[in-house]
Amino acid sequence: MRRSATALLTLLTALAALLAGPGAGPARAATTAHRPVVLVHGYNADPGVWGSLDARLRAAGYADGEIFRWGYDTHQSVNEVLAGRFAAYVDEVRRTTGADRVDIVAHSFGGLPTRWYVKYAGGTATVAHWISLAGPNHGTGVAWACALWDQACRDMTPGSWVQNHLAEGDETPGPVAYTTFWSNCDEVIDPDDSVRLAGATNTPAGCLDHNALLGDEAVGRGVVAALGAA
């Protein structure tokens, strides 16, 4: 009888494991529904600018642990300082979430350090989608107004060392999906077509002010759709 009871207990244990499914038990790793998205503000701004897009992402199903906002000193060098600090931030997001890659949405100047990271600091292996809203991707003449005393402004001027290196060769390297949104009424990006990149999905946003792209409903929908693309 003792042997029969032991065999029955073993059988019941095996059946319970089968009914629980292959992913049951404490060894199962937690997963998230979306790839982490890192929001990067522009010049003389802060992470608070992302309120509208943050709300739109949450409406699309993103959770607290899937949305990150990088804050940084916008007066420092793109290549010498900011790209490295952004790389460290991405590493921390990946460590925290367990994700192998992240998505990036950058406004204005934020497109430059994030693009430098993708192109020159290994980001082609860790970034799935890179999205630029009104980015000075080929420079803006407006930046000459502060270039004399501000390194970030010098980096944004057309023909700067940073601009030339970002433009050389392939502007959109690696398996990253690149998307830009640009306005033909942007008072900060001059010329307007500076935002567009060869090899990216370049999306006209209509006649919007520079900061209006942050809260525009159509742009927000386009960003969410681009993040959901393969």
Side-chain angles (χ1 to χ4, degrees):
M1 284 293 292
R2 184 175 300 171
R3 183 176 301 172
S4 298
T6 302
L8 179 59
L9 179 61
T10 301
L11 178 60
L12 290 173
T13 302
L15 286 172
L18 286 172
L19 290 172
R28 184 179 182 182
T31 59
T32 57
H34 301 91
R35 186 181 295 111
V37 57
V38 181
L39 308 177
V40 181
H41 63 78
Y43 184 75
N44 268 350
D46 60 57
V49 302
W50 293 110
S52 294
L53 185 59
D54 186 289
R56 188 166 294 279
L57 289 170
R58 291 176 189 277
Y62 280 78
D64 286 345
E66 297 171 334
I67 304 173
F68 297 84
R69 305 186 192 191
W70 185 51
Y72 63 103
D73 181 351
T74 63
H75 303 286
Q76 296 186 307
S77 166
V78 165
N79 58 307
E80 294 177 345
V81 179
L82 297 180
R85 291 182 179 175
F86 182 68
Y89 186 81
V90 170
D91 286 345
E92 179 63 17
V93 169
R94 293 172 59 227
R95 185 194 66 77
T96 300
T97 62
D100 58 344
R101 295 189 296 170
V102 303
D103 293 332
I104 297 169
V105 182
H107 178 244
S108 192
F109 174 70
L112 299 186
T114 58
R115 223 176 117 213
W116 191 279
Y117 163 67
V118 173
K119 185 164 185 171
Y120 291 115
T124 53
T126 59
V127 175
H129 297 87
W130 179 89
I131 300 174
S132 170
L133 309 182
N137 295 321
H138 295 102
T140 174
V142 173
W144 286 113
C146 51
L148 184 62
W149 64 84
D150 190 285
Q151 180 60 50
C153 288
R154 287 193 287 276
D155 291 344
M156 284 191 281
T157 57
S160 70
W161 192 89
V162 165
Q163 293 292 342
N164 288 341
H165 278 71
L166 286 174
E168 70 180 11
D170 189 354
E171 289 192 326
T172 52
V176 181
Y178 296 85
T179 303
T180 74
F181 291 84
W182 62 279
S183 165
N184 60 353
C185 297
D186 194 325
E187 78 283 9
V188 173
I189 304 302
D190 181 24
D192 298 332
D193 63 3
S194 172
V195 180
R196 293 180 287 182
L197 292 171
T201 299
N202 299 299
T203 309
C207 184
L208 295 173
D209 292 343
H210 186 68
N211 289 332
L213 276 80
L214 287 163
D216 183 74
E217 183 177 350
V219 171
R221 289 197 306 267
V223 169
V224 172
L227 291 173

